Amino acid sequence: MATVKAKYLGDLRLECTHLQSGTKIITDAPTDNNGKGEAFSPTDLCSTSLAACAMTIMGIYAKNNGIDLTGAEIEITKKMAAEPRRIAEIDVIFNMPAKGYSEKDKKILERVAHTCPVHLSLHPDVKQNFVFNWQ
């Protein structure tokens, strides 16, 4: 069974529907690739998926070990390459809340972030830079 259905709306825009929840998102081509840049581009979603997946895996570990990650914020920067046009590098900066994490917990959380399925699925040529700012 499909996970998502997408409909091309024209003008380089798609409406994507998550079938289980009914949640919809719109994608749009970026302005540097013939689009209007009025919504996430597919490569923006890929980069965002890396950060969201890593944070989710960290959240699973944290939930199972009584650690509160609520309030963590993530900054994502995507860098594109040409010929072929592709994602070359993704910078993911985790700004962690001041909650007195132990050095052991910090080390484990950083390590589990690198085990997320998106991180492991992206081509090895895509540089994935994770930075953790612990308060």
Side-chain angles (χ1 to χ4, degrees):
M1 182 171 145
T3 304
V4 174
K5 283 193 176 181
K7 181 177 181 181
Y8 184 66
L9 303 176
D11 210 17
L12 309 180
R13 182 173 284 224
L14 281 89
E15 179 184 72
C16 308
T17 304
H18 181 255
L19 296 178
Q20 185 175 353
S21 67
T23 301
K24 295 178 187 276
I25 58 170
I26 300 291
T27 65
D28 194 11
T31 54
D32 66 349
N33 199 27
N34 301 303
K36 296 179 181 178
E38 294 176 346
F40 283 96
S41 73
T43 54
D44 291 341
L45 287 178
C46 182
S47 302
T48 301
S49 291
L50 173 62
C53 186
M55 191 71 230
T56 299
I57 295 299
M58 291 168 60
I60 291 168
Y61 174 83
K63 181 178 179 181
N64 290 334
N65 290 277
I67 301 168
D68 183 11
L69 299 180
T70 304
E73 296 183 354
I74 309 166
E75 298 173 42
I76 305 147
T77 304
K78 171 193 72 176
K79 299 172 186 167
M80 297 295 289
E83 298 181 35
R85 185 172 171 82
R86 62 181 183 82
I87 299 170
E89 189 170 355
I90 304 169
D91 295 332
V92 182
I93 300 172
F94 297 88
N95 295 308
M96 306 304 291
K99 297 202 178 189
Y101 304 110
S102 71
E103 289 304 314
K104 177 184 174 189
D105 287 339
K106 290 177 186 179
K107 182 172 265 187
I108 293 171
L109 287 164
E110 290 182 20
R111 190 170 49 232
V112 300
H114 289 92
T115 68
C116 86
V118 174
H119 173 74
L120 297 173
S121 298
L122 290 173
H123 192 281
D125 288 350
V126 178
K127 288 182 66 179
Q128 301 176 50
N129 307 309
F130 287 8
V131 174
F132 294 85
N133 294 325
W134 299 96
Q135 305 298 320

